[in-house]
Amino acid sequence: MRRRGAGAPPMGAARGRVVPGAAMLHRSLWLWLCLCLCCCPGSGLRLHEYLYFQVLSPGDIRYIFTATPAKDFGGVFNTRYEQIHLVPADPPEACGELNNGVFIQDQIALVERGGCSFLSKTRVIQEHGGRAVIIADNAYENDSFYIEMIQDSTRRTADIPALFLLGRDGYMIRRSLEQHGLPWAVISIPVNVTSIPTYEMMQPPWTFW
């Protein structure tokens, strides 16, 4: 597992005690640390081990989210999508035929962990014409630990990018869509966070960077 950042509070810990100025300082320090690790060979975790995307709509979750690519299967993003749909799969675990497969074609699917392997989920989305899959942890309280997605024992392959998303982030995205009665979110992916001024970084307020 990979953790979002050293010194992150334990899951379930109260965050209301962090004043806005302190929260901004924490986020600025974390971004600075990522940039240093990216530029210093052999110094541990690299920035490129994370991939970032931004929700553009609905507005109440207009944040930049962090995901991690699968370790040994799936493709890479050769194109930046300025606006593309992030469509929650139906059923959420996407272990077989999808009820809303027509909406996933040429879009990106939001899938929930569980029921079958990460590779199986990726292949299902690929077979429905999806351009990528984001697999959110099914532990909704998980706001800091990243699961390393690896191949299963079937020797199958997948060509589309597969990303792992924290359970808390996936839950909040799906909840917002349900509250607004929307079938999908609009996102930009991947996002180059090094080109965004720190004061414009809009991270989810429920997690620590």
Side-chain angles (χ1 to χ4, degrees), residues 32-43:
W32 174 83
L33 177 60
C34 286
L35 293 175
C36 289
L37 293 176
C38 179
C39 298
C40 300
S43 59

Side-chain angles (χ1 to χ4, degrees), residues 192-206:
N192 181 7
V193 297
T194 62
S195 65
I196 303 176
T198 303
Y199 63 86
E200 292 183 5
M201 292 288 288
M202 294 291 292
Q203 299 95 351
W206 55 84

Side-chain angles (χ1 to χ4, degrees), residues 133-147:
V133 58
I134 298 176
I135 303 174
D137 197 0
N138 55 1
Y140 298 157
E141 75 281 2
N142 178 12
D143 61 1
S144 57
F145 289 98
Y146 291 90
I147 304 299

Side-chain angles (χ1 to χ4, degrees), residues 39-123:
C39 298
C40 300
S43 59
L45 189 64
R46 305 254 197 279
L47 185 62
H48 68 259
E49 291 184 11
Y50 294 102
L51 186 143
Y52 302 88
F53 68 93
Q54 182 175 19
V55 173
L56 305 176
S57 175
D60 59 333
I61 51 169
R62 191 181 172 90
Y63 303 116
I64 294 176
F65 293 86
T66 307
T68 54
K71 180 180 179 181
D72 55 7
F73 70 87
V76 297
F77 282 96
N78 296 316
T79 302
R80 183 188 178 196
Y81 300 101
E82 299 290 346
Q83 291 189 21
I84 191 168
H85 293 164
L86 177 63
V87 185
D90 179 20
E93 293 181 344
C95 291
E97 188 68 25
L98 301 179
N99 298 323
N100 63 338
V102 64
F103 298 117
I104 288 175
Q105 185 171 359
D106 292 325
Q107 308 300 326
I108 296 177
L110 177 62
V111 172
E112 190 169 299
R113 180 188 178 196
C116 59
S117 69
F118 293 121
L119 178 56
S120 293
K121 298 173 187 293
T122 304
R123 286 177 59 86

